[in-house]
Amino acid sequence: MLAMATRPGQIAPQTGAATPLLGREAATALRLSPRTRSALERLGIVSIRDLVRHFPYRYDDLRDPSRIGDILAARTDHATKTPSGEYNVLGTVLQCKHVRLRGRIRAKTSATIDDGTGSLHAVWYGRPYLASQMNEGNRVFVRGRIEYTLTGATINVSKHRVLKADEEYAGELVPVYPQTAGLSGYELRRLISSALRLCASDPAAKAELDPLPAAINKRERFGDAWRAIRSIHNPSNIEEANEARRRLVYEEFFLLAIASARRRAERALEAAPDFSRAAGRAQADAFRSELGRALPFTLTRAQERVIDEVTADLLKSTPMNRLLQGDVGSGKTAVAVAAILLAARAGYQSAFMAPTEVLAAQQFNKIGAMLSHAGHAGALLIGALKKRTRDDIIDQLRTGELPFVVGTHALITDDVAFAKLGLVVIDEQHRFGVLQRAALRAKASGHAPHTLVMTATPIPRTLAQTVYADLDVSIIDELPPGRRPVKTYVRSDDAKDKVFDFVRTEVEKGHQAFVVCPAIDESERALHSAVKQANELRASAFAGIQVQLLHGRMSVAQKDEVMKLFADGFIKILISTSVIEVGVDIPNASVMLVLDAQAFGLAQLHQLRGRVGRGAQQSYCILITPNAEEAERLQILARTNDGFAIAEEDLQIRGSGDLVGTRQHGGHELRLAHLIRDYPVFVVAKKAADAVVHADPRLARPEHRRLAAFLAAQDREAALRVSS
Ligand code: ADP
Ligand code: MG
């Protein structure tokens, strides 16, 4: 199963001894505690290789302290506003006080620091150990945010260092890494330094760190990889860091492009299921009229075009691998129905996989109804079935009696087998891992099934060309007729009562509403707050209205019951955690109210907004956030309904591929590269990668040996990460 995704077998076998150091588990090599080990794992770090390739995303510049006099002088310009950014200050402690507090923050240290040009007040919270370190007369370096007070300025210290008696302050660039709870930045820096020290004395490891063929290094004037890695962790100046970054970003893009070029090359060799029974003029006409009977509406032009693209793929001799993008509500399901129908006509079964049970059930109702009009009856396969029912379905899939099945992850359990699986459809594909998708595809025997993956999270062009380069892309860029764009407003917490009144009015008009509270992790505590929130609203703002809470900890039966009551209009207001994020269709709902909207990404909010505006009435999306800075970020949703623009903005803000599904897609993640800002580097790296795969698809030539070994090691370790 693991091999499906990565196919290490395709890589030419290594010759020569591989150095074990990079592949060694960091926990063993550095003798880490289980706690540290699991913190590292949360960061995706298992091996020494992972550790030295865990790159900083910025540096704290601890060089060039500001003069306190200048900081104080700036006060008049800024009035009482806090300037953004942190300041460095170097001075002598004139006065120092340590206070023990009760409550959560147990200690406060305050000191007056003077540098000869002026003095300011420095404060630390929760650092009881400072009492023994910080004394009057010490020379200290401090860094932190400045806040102006009526009498001067206070620096909220985030970093400090007490200097030795006659130490000359040099300052440095301190790398800041992606972090996780349970491992401080300091600890992480120390671990990375230790791993670097191990590599420094291991020439084979240093060489193995470089995946790039020598010819590319020469052409791009790259120094060796080891130097770049050492520099990015420990640059002596920004230029050196940038130089190192340029090389490492190139590497990331290059590896990504190699992976997708090879996936494409492999697929070209795979046999598709034989759909020839459904080919030909007469067949095409029959298919069209059957599809017309199945669909309760006339297709939009965009749907027509995409169905043509998909059916053309299905009749080819290599398997389809197509990504269908279309904004929420654009009607992707109809395309899936068309594909399933064609597969059935060709004598093949289809499997449609959705990420949640609620969604699978709803999709089954829709798809099942449409296909039954065309004379095909399928089944729903989810975890929560009676054993008898489940056994029956499994039997009928095995014998080929069932032409299609809709389900959740339940579809990929071992005992599910198909007589003739020809088509796999994956809905909301970003919710699945690459291995899950591969597992479903692996259920086809004798050929690679046609695959259609669908997403409502629009994938910007840059991302489509980088991370998803091995997929063909279809886009539905038109909504079915008669939809009114949802009106979107961003409001502060103060406006809550007014907003609740508004929701009430909408319900009194006969509409329904969603209220979303972000209990994204569905932890006990988050859930508790959602329950409390629901009870409060029920008792006050929404008194007398049928309000119901839906959350991820409810059983499937409970969730289905609630969704059904909401869909049937018995429940008027559904208060929910993020369970409803995808897919659910309630045409009568006219309000999507999101509390603490800042907790969601822009694309996610756009998804939530897509839950309303599906009927003829005017619909509203109201985003409530306590935070003015966040409100600004959310305004883009008020400005546009264009999912691509929103996704592009999201990408602009977040940048890294990991956040947008790189890892789920192919296992080769982008840690450093920013998809938009570094796009020009991608273009160059892709060209080089395509040339390599074109000339040497198996990477068997001597000049590609290091690259092959690098990929094999990466794949091996990725598989370890998944199974650990
Ligand atoms: P999504 O792309 O979000 O999966 P769906 O396929 O669920 O969208 O379609 C959203 C809604 O629009 C459904 O209620 C569906 O019946 C309806 N719909 C889809 N295509 C059309 C069309 N061409 N004309 C009218 N309604 C349509
Ligand atoms: Mg859908």
Side-chain angles (χ1 to χ4, degrees), residues 285-351:
D285 290 344
F287 164 69
R288 278 287 162 180
S289 72
E290 202 175 56
L291 183 60
R293 274 202 305 283
L295 300 178
F297 41 70
T298 314
L299 292 168
T300 61
R301 260 182 328 222
Q303 283 169 318
E304 292 270 12
R305 189 190 65 237
V306 171
I307 288 173
D308 285 346
E309 287 164 359
V310 168
T311 49
D313 275 3
L314 293 176
L315 298 175
K316 286 186 190 151
S317 57
T318 51
M320 168 169 78
N321 194 29
R322 191 168 280 278
L323 170 69
L324 171 54
Q325 306 184 50
D327 224 331
V328 183
S330 61
K332 294 184 290 296
T333 315
V335 178
V337 165
I340 293 171
L341 204 56
L342 191 75
R345 293 181 61 82
Y348 281 91
Q349 293 169 293
S350 302

Side-chain angles (χ1 to χ4, degrees), residues 326-333 352 359 363 366 427-428 454-456 582-584 611 614:
D327 224 331
V328 183
S330 61
K332 294 184 290 296
T333 315
F352 183 110
L359 203 58
Q363 290 289 23
K366 275 201 264 186
D427 200 9
E428 312 295 347
M454 309 204 290
T455 181
V582 287
V584 192
R611 301 298 118 226
R614 296 189 160 212

Side-chain angles (χ1 to χ4, degrees), residues 213-433:
I216 292 180
N217 280 333
K218 189 154 166 240
R219 188 171 64 226
E220 296 292 331
R221 297 207 198 86
F222 288 141
D224 67 46
W226 164 246
R227 209 182 72 196
I229 287 177
R230 214 186 32 193
S231 303
I232 200 155
H233 291 295
N234 251 323
S236 33
N237 53 53
I238 288 291
E239 293 68 39
E240 187 185 328
N242 284 339
E243 181 66 28
R245 186 177 178 281
R246 187 176 78 89
R247 187 213 155 94
L248 296 169
V249 164
Y250 184 101
E251 262 181 34
E252 285 187 349
F253 280 136
F254 179 79
L255 293 171
L256 190 72
I258 288 276
S260 53
R262 290 179 66 227
R263 276 201 295 266
R264 247 184 208 283
E266 276 165 33
R267 224 180 10 259
L269 301 175
E270 286 174 337
D274 175 12
F275 274 37
S276 57
R277 256 174 65 188
R281 189 62 180 270
Q283 282 295 328
D285 290 344
F287 164 69
R288 278 287 162 180
S289 72
E290 202 175 56
L291 183 60
R293 274 202 305 283
L295 300 178
F297 41 70
T298 314
L299 292 168
T300 61
R301 260 182 328 222
Q303 283 169 318
E304 292 270 12
R305 189 190 65 237
V306 171
I307 288 173
D308 285 346
E309 287 164 359
V310 168
T311 49
D313 275 3
L314 293 176
L315 298 175
K316 286 186 190 151
S317 57
T318 51
M320 168 169 78
N321 194 29
R322 191 168 280 278
L323 170 69
L324 171 54
Q325 306 184 50
D327 224 331
V328 183
S330 61
K332 294 184 290 296
T333 315
V335 178
V337 165
I340 293 171
L341 204 56
L342 191 75
R345 293 181 61 82
Y348 281 91
Q349 293 169 293
S350 302
F352 183 110
M353 185 158 74
T356 65
E357 303 214 336
V358 173
L359 203 58
Q362 194 171 53
Q363 290 289 23
F364 177 67
N365 291 340
K366 275 201 264 186
I367 295 174
M370 292 190 226
L371 286 167
S372 73
H373 290 136
H376 304 282
L380 173 67
L381 188 65
I382 51 178
L385 289 180
K386 289 210 187 67
K387 183 162 182 332
R388 270 272 299 287
T389 318
R390 187 184 140 81
D391 288 349
D392 278 352
I393 295 174
I394 288 183
D395 270 351
Q396 291 172 6
L397 287 174
R398 188 171 289 132
T399 59
E401 222 172 304
L402 277 177
F404 71 94
V405 62
V406 176
T408 53
H409 305 84
L411 290 172
I412 54 178
T413 48
D414 281 342
D415 56 346
V416 176
F418 294 82
K420 245 184 137 184
L421 180 61
L423 170 70
V424 164
V425 183
I426 306 217
D427 200 9
E428 312 295 347
Q429 62 89 24
H430 57 286
R431 301 278 299 254
F432 291 100

